[in-house]
Amino acid sequence: MKKRKLCLVGNGMAGVRCMEEILKLAPDLFDITIFGREPHPNYNRILLSSVLAGDADIRDIVLNDWNWYEQNGITLYTGETVTSIDAEQRNIYTDCGRVESYDDLILATGSLPFMLPLPGIDKEGVIAFRDINDCKTMMEASKTYKKAVVIGGGLLGLEAARGLLNLSMDVSVVHIFDNIMERQLDPVASKLLQSELEKQGIRFLLEKQSAEILGDTRVTGLRFADGTAEEADLIVMAVGIRPNAALAQESGIEVKRGIVVNDYMETNIDHVYAVGECAEHRGTVYGLVAPLFEQGKVLAKRICQMDAAPYEGSTLHTKLKISGVNVFSAGEFMDTSDTRAIRVHDEWEGVYKKVLVRDDQVVGAVLFGDTKDSTRILEMIRTNATISELQRVAILQNLSSSSGASELDYVAAMSSDEIICGCNGVSKGTIVEAIYEHGLNSVEGVKKCTGASRSCGGCKPLVANLLQCVLGDQAQTSNQKEPICTCTTLSRDELVREIQEKCLTSVREVMHVLDWTEPEGCSKCRPAINYYLNMVFPELHEDERESRFVNERMHANIQKDGTYSVVPRMYGGVTSPAELKKIAEVAEKYQVPLVKVTGGQRLDLLGVKKEDLPNVWRDLDMPSGYAYGKAIRTVKTCVGSDFCRFGTQNSIQMGIDIEKAFERLDTPAKIKMAVSGCPRNCAESLIKDIGVVGIDGGWEIYIGGNGGVHAKVAQLLCKVKTNEEVMEWVGAFLQYYRENANYGERTSAWMERIGLSSIQRALENTETRRELNYRIAAALGVLSDPWQDIIQKENIRQLFENVAVNV
């Protein structure tokens, strides 16, 4: 039987996903040819923000590599644009002079970024954020330039802003509305998100209308309609997209906002179809991935002449892909006169949940801070589930935490037709069937076979839990090896072992000897390697300033306006009139706009100009408080037994001794400590990485506390009798943490991963503690105060002053 000739215009996610469905249904029905404008195979555009943020490499987001096209007999033309269609002759023409005939034609031309028609739009440094090339442009710009402005506070704009922040750029987001992500979030969730992103370092300029891009050849700033302006070395426009329908329109195919299609993705021209962001269905143009895949499934069946249910539109849902921020929105999210809301707003935990109900049916939801129930709630929206028989508040309770059931119990209780992967529409039943049929035992295997978790990746935990439900101990989930980044296949433990065994002593040597795929590494691996080298060989490895994050290179904490904060060391939170006078004089001399007492009982000079930093440190003549680094920060103390009538131990002196003993020490993540003179815990010892509490006749040592976003109460490590034992145990714990935690992993997360008992078993041996303290002493022995180094050594000072602000 002669194959029909099928042409696809557009090598993006929607079109190629439709091809995958067609190949599943009828692998021998078509002779397939695909045209793609970009010079790449099919890749996951959703994950461009992950590439920009340094969480993934461009190769990691390729969905179908070159081999896939060859293996499926597909002819692929990349870097080639289709310029016209002759629907009568059934021919298409390209900008390379190629003429290709077809029996069936699918248009999946996607969308184009909307660029505001501002004066100066053509200046160098003004770009969109739409494809790999835009991503590369931003990464390259960050090596030279410092200040980025993102126009657009929607999903894509925020992801671009966070990525640029990871590239050590100073980022401002300009938005014309008073709420960010106003198309997905209600005002409460929007403000919570804005607050969280501001903490991460993004500056927001809301209700600002862009009027003119400033600069000669290259952009230098952005002027607004109200006359104010913002400096900029790079402007990223993320103000929306529009369907790329020009080819269809010029070829006589009906186009309104997009290419008009019916419920089977057919255009008004026979044998011409459209799918994805370029298509307009029932007056709606979709820009999210899930609807595009749903369209592709319907079209695949239609074009293969199989019975297909009509496409009747999609329930929109989205997750924000920004590290540390969990946001989910689905369906309707704004209260109306005919909806009623079920809300939970826990300001302590930073959690906000709202479910909108109409006539006892869930019609929309917004989740911030805790999105574990997003899959369940989305399923309720999709299936028009009624809540009349449910306790209303139960809808917003995490099933695993509220009922005592585990997350495994939750996934086990899901019905077979419930959706696990919302992006790709993969149900629990499909995954379970694939596990048995293909012998799958890993998330990666499920992804390759079913497509689940292939897009945004938000369902990976559910897939992992489902694997465990089906296979038990045979499932490869948490035990899977995780490379430290995409530049290598080595895990953290493997990397440290290679450094030790091969005696590698520089970042460049590590990358060269261990076959790094990227010669210069990335923002994830370079600082991690530098830390591991310092930890393994403190006396051999010379700290590599260029591999550190900007705050650690500058030895000050960069603020959102580009100035820095300076926190001098005050051991145990104790100061003197002389020190206070010096701080006051420095603040006046350098016109420091704000002096603030920190939560760690120190004084923070906020708003210091970069060029003033060395002179500020010189005039202060105090040690660095390391308030900027992954290092020992502060030891907070209460007044203790010397002054407090309840105090049982001298907490001030103990705090001073601990801080002096371990100051400047690099650690996988920041370390905060506290010493309380009695169990009343006035120094808040139980929310610190290390908390020491005085009791009658001795001390209790707690570890793994966290007072931040993911609050954790510290757990009791041990009880000791003497001050010397406190120092011994604290030193041993710190070194054990240094030697075993992942770079960037706080003690609370590390303990959650390995368990308190494993730490107690490791440290219970006296000889082990002695060896750990010996090694930590070696690490401390090579450290010096960085502020004094910069002041005293001209060459270091020059390097400091000239250092570029990049990753």
Side-chain angles (χ1 to χ4, degrees):
M1 178 180 173
K2 184 182 178 182
K3 291 184 177 181
R4 290 178 64 81
K5 184 70 184 294
L6 172 61
C7 284
L8 169 64
V9 181
N11 192 30
M13 296 176 68
V16 175
R17 179 57 189 274
C18 181
M19 285 297 168
E20 291 177 337
E21 295 292 334
I22 290 171
L23 289 169
K24 283 183 191 173
L25 297 172
D28 300 319
L29 187 59
F30 294 103
D31 178 8
I32 300 173
T33 300
I34 299 177
F35 292 87
R37 180 178 54 82
E38 293 185 73
H40 310 289
N42 174 236
Y43 65 88
N44 190 340
R45 196 182 302 277
I46 297 172
L47 295 182
L48 281 175
S49 57
S50 298
V51 174
L52 194 61
D55 295 332
D57 184 86
I58 286 173
R59 289 163 299 183
D60 297 332
I61 66 172
V62 170
L63 292 170
N64 295 294
D65 61 18
W66 304 108
N67 291 332
W68 178 83
Y69 296 90
E70 187 176 343
Q71 289 166 358
N72 288 285
I74 297 172
T75 302
L76 173 65
Y77 296 110
T78 58
E80 191 166 339
T81 303
V82 174
T83 54
S84 63
I85 302 167
D86 183 341
E88 287 191 5
Q89 298 298 318
R90 296 190 185 178
N91 287 329
I92 58 176
Y93 304 85
T94 78
D95 58 355
C96 293
R98 195 183 312 276
V99 180
E100 195 79 18
S101 62
Y102 66 83
D103 295 310
D104 297 288
L105 173 65
I106 298 175
L107 299 177
T109 47
S111 59
L112 298 171
F114 182 72
M115 301 293 281
L116 295 173
L118 301 177
I121 186 71
D122 55 346
K123 296 189 189 304
E124 183 184 346
V126 181
I127 62 170
F129 180 32
R130 189 62 187 155
D131 55 29
I132 284 178
N133 197 44
D134 296 329
C135 211
K136 287 181 175 176
T137 301
M138 284 188 264
M139 295 165 76
E140 192 62 29
S142 71
K143 297 176 181 176
T144 307
Y145 300 102
K146 173 185 173 185
K147 175 72 179 180
V149 168
V150 177
I151 303 178
L155 184 66
L156 193 63
L158 298 181
E159 291 175 355
R162 190 62 187 87
L164 290 165
L165 199 67
N166 275 25
L167 294 170
S168 293
M169 296 198 78
D170 182 6
V171 183
S172 297
V173 172
V174 175
H175 198 46
I176 197 167
F177 299 107
D178 57 351
N179 287 312
I180 59 176
M181 282 188 70
E182 77 286 346
R183 296 177 65 181
Q184 289 91 14
L185 302 180
D186 67 3
V188 175
S190 175
K191 289 304 178 189
L192 286 169
L193 176 61
Q194 179 183 338
S195 175
E196 179 58 36
L197 295 177
E198 285 174 339
K199 290 177 187 174
Q200 296 187 14
I202 297 174
R203 180 167 176 255
F204 286 93
L205 301 172
L206 302 181
E207 298 183 87
K208 288 283 189 181
Q209 183 175 354
S210 303
E212 180 184 4
I213 295 172
L214 307 175
D216 294 326
T217 303
R218 186 178 180 87
V219 58
T220 59
L222 178 65
R223 191 186 307 284
F224 303 111
D226 61 8
T228 60
E230 182 77 357
E231 290 183 12
D233 304 314
L234 177 72
I235 290 181
V236 179
M237 283 206 187
V239 293
I241 56 175
R242 55 185 170 82
N244 183 12
L247 171 67
Q249 191 164 35
E250 292 166 3
S251 303
I253 300 168
E254 184 183 5
V255 171
K256 292 181 180 175
R257 291 175 60 204
I259 304 170
V260 177
V261 295
N262 62 16
D263 288 355
Y264 297 96
M265 314 315 292
E266 297 165 326
T267 71
N268 64 317
I269 303 294
D270 286 344
H271 300 287
V272 178
Y273 310 84
V275 67
E277 292 176 337
C278 65
E280 177 182 334
H281 173 260
R282 297 189 185 182
T284 299
V285 175
Y286 295 96
L288 298 173
V289 66
L292 314 187
F293 290 171
E294 292 170 12
Q295 293 175 359
K297 287 184 177 180
V298 173
L299 173 54
K301 286 187 176 178
R302 188 67 166 184
I303 208 167
C304 291
Q305 300 180 358
M306 295 180 174
D307 289 337
Y311 175 70
E312 297 179 323
S314 300
T315 300
L316 295 181
H317 63 96
T318 187
K319 283 186 177 180
L320 189 62
K321 298 176 291 301
I322 291 181
S323 175
V325 182
N326 294 316
V327 185
F328 171 80
S329 170
E332 298 180 36
F333 58 93
M334 293 295 288
D335 301 75
T336 61
S337 58
D338 62 344
T339 61
R340 303 180 75 175
I342 305 165
R343 289 184 176 85
V344 171
H345 190 175
D346 184 340
E347 296 184 356
W348 283 269
E349 295 290 338
V351 172
Y352 172 71
K353 302 181 180 183
K354 182 179 81 172
V355 168
L356 282 177
V357 178
R358 179 183 293 116
D359 299 331
D360 273 345
Q361 289 185 338
V362 177
V363 295
V366 175
L367 308 178
F368 180 92
D370 179 359
T371 58
K372 290 178 182 174
D373 288 336
S374 58
T375 301
R376 180 172 57 86
I377 293 176
L378 179 61
E379 190 65 16
M380 295 177 76
I381 298 171
R382 278 181 164 151
T383 58
N384 298 319
T386 179
I387 64 166
S388 58
E389 296 182 359
L390 294 176
Q391 288 184 350
R392 286 177 179 79
V393 72
I395 297 171
L396 288 174
Q397 288 178 335
N398 184 298
L399 292 184
S400 59
S401 61
S402 61
S403 65
S406 70
E407 293 182 355
L408 293 182
D409 294 331
Y410 166 59
V411 77
M414 292 174 71
S415 63
S416 292
D417 58 352
E418 281 192 66
I419 298 296
I420 294 279
C421 175
C423 294
N424 296 296
V426 185
S427 68
K428 174 187 172 182
T430 300
I431 296 175
V432 171
E433 185 179 332
I435 291 171
Y436 286 125
E437 186 174 337
H438 300 283
L440 309 178
N441 64 354
S442 68
V443 175
E444 190 65 25
V446 171
K447 181 171 78 172
K448 286 181 179 176
C449 186
T450 68
S453 79
R454 197 168 71 156
S455 296
C456 78
C459 64
K460 281 184 178 177
L462 267 181
V463 175
N465 288 336
L466 184 53
L467 276 163
Q468 280 199 295
C469 276
V470 176
L471 301 177
D473 294 340
Q474 295 178 3
Q476 294 180 16
T477 51
S478 59
N479 292 328
Q480 281 186 287
K481 185 181 83 170
E482 288 193 16
I484 65 166
C485 72
T486 56
C487 301
T488 180
T489 58
L490 295 174
S491 67
R492 180 265 183 212
D493 291 344
E494 290 172 332
L495 173 60
V496 171
R497 189 162 57 246
E498 291 283 353
I499 289 173
Q500 291 169 325
E501 292 177 353
K502 293 184 168 63
C503 200
L504 306 177
T505 56
S506 75
V507 173
R508 187 167 293 278
E509 188 181 21
V510 167
M511 293 177 177
H512 176 69
V513 173
L514 301 181
D515 295 327
W516 240 241
T517 56
E518 289 295 324
E520 298 300 322
C522 69
S523 59
K524 285 185 73 175
C525 65
R526 289 188 66 88
I529 297 170
N530 186 56
Y531 168 76
Y532 295 137
L533 287 167
N534 276 336
M535 183 267 291
V536 174
F537 297 121
E539 292 160 323
L540 292 178
H541 175 242
E542 185 174 346
D543 186 55
E544 298 173 55
R545 180 190 297 269
E546 66 277 11
S547 294
R548 286 183 174 270
F549 288 115
V550 60
N551 284 352
E552 294 180 342
R553 290 204 305 274
M554 306 300 281
H555 287 288
N557 202 347
I558 193 167
Q559 305 297 298
K560 65 181 183 180
D561 63 354
T563 63
Y564 290 82
S565 80
V566 170
V567 182
R569 177 83 62 187
M570 290 178 180
Y571 299 104
V574 177
T575 186
S576 66
E579 282 186 344
L580 292 174
K581 282 181 182 176
K582 273 197 294 189
I583 292 171
E585 289 167 359
V586 166
E588 286 186 344
K589 180 177 179 180
Y590 295 96
Q591 299 180 322
V592 174
L594 181 67
V595 180
K596 187 180 184 308
V597 178
T598 73
Q601 299 177 333
R602 307 296 186 266
L603 287 175
D604 192 350
L605 284 69
L606 291 146
V608 179
K609 297 174 184 174
K610 175 187 169 185
E611 57 270 26
D612 288 338
L613 284 172
N615 292 332
V616 167
W617 298 334
R618 181 200 60 206
D619 292 351
L620 281 173
D621 193 26
M622 295 172 69
S624 167
Y626 274 80
Y628 45 80
K630 299 183 190 304
I632 300 295
R633 294 281 183 93
T634 57
V635 182
K636 185 176 182 179
T637 65
C638 67
V639 295
S641 57
D642 278 2
F643 295 91
C644 179
R645 59 197 172 96
F646 300 112
T648 58
Q649 297 289 348
N650 188 342
S651 53
I652 292 179
Q653 191 58 54
M654 176 56 73
I656 292 172
D657 290 345
I658 292 175
E659 191 163 349
K660 284 189 173 179
F662 302 110
E663 65 175 319
R664 304 172 190 146
L665 185 69
D666 283 337
T667 44
K670 62 185 176 184
I671 287 283
K672 295 184 176 181
M673 296 189 273
V675 181
S676 298
C678 77
R680 285 176 172 78
N681 256 314
C682 292
E684 300 172 326
S685 298
L686 297 189
I687 55 169
K688 303 298 182 186
D689 296 278
I690 299 176
V692 181
V693 179
I695 56 176
D696 285 335
W699 300 89
E700 292 176 337
I701 301 176
Y702 293 83
I703 56 175
N706 190 327
V709 175
H710 305 291
K712 293 281 183 185
V713 175
Q715 298 181 61
L716 180 63
L717 172 66
C718 63
K719 293 182 181 181
V720 297
K721 294 180 179 178
T722 68
N723 294 0
E724 290 75 17
E725 287 177 296
V726 172
M727 299 301 290
E728 179 195 2
W729 277 85
V730 169
F733 171 75
L734 280 173
Q735 185 64 14
Y736 190 66
Y737 167 59
R738 294 182 77 231
E739 294 179 358
N740 292 280
N742 296 323
Y743 180 74
E745 190 175 35
R746 290 291 298 269
T747 58
S748 54
W750 176 57
M751 280 183 52
E752 193 169 306
R753 181 164 62 85
I754 70 169
L756 172 67
S757 59
S758 70
I759 299 172
Q760 289 174 319
R761 285 196 300 272
L763 301 186
E764 66 185 2
N765 183 280
T766 305
E767 182 60 22
T768 300
R769 294 200 301 276
R770 190 192 67 78
E771 291 173 356
L772 288 165
N773 273 290
Y774 176 80
R775 293 198 290 274
I776 202 171
L780 288 163
V782 298
L783 300 178
S784 59
D785 188 85
W787 290 357
Q788 292 301 316
D789 289 344
I790 293 167
I791 292 167
Q792 293 170 8
K793 298 175 183 176
E794 184 62 23
N795 60 328
I796 299 179
R797 180 165 174 160
Q798 286 179 350
L799 180 64
F800 169 83
E801 290 172 347
N802 294 330
V803 68
V805 182
N806 55 29
V807 176

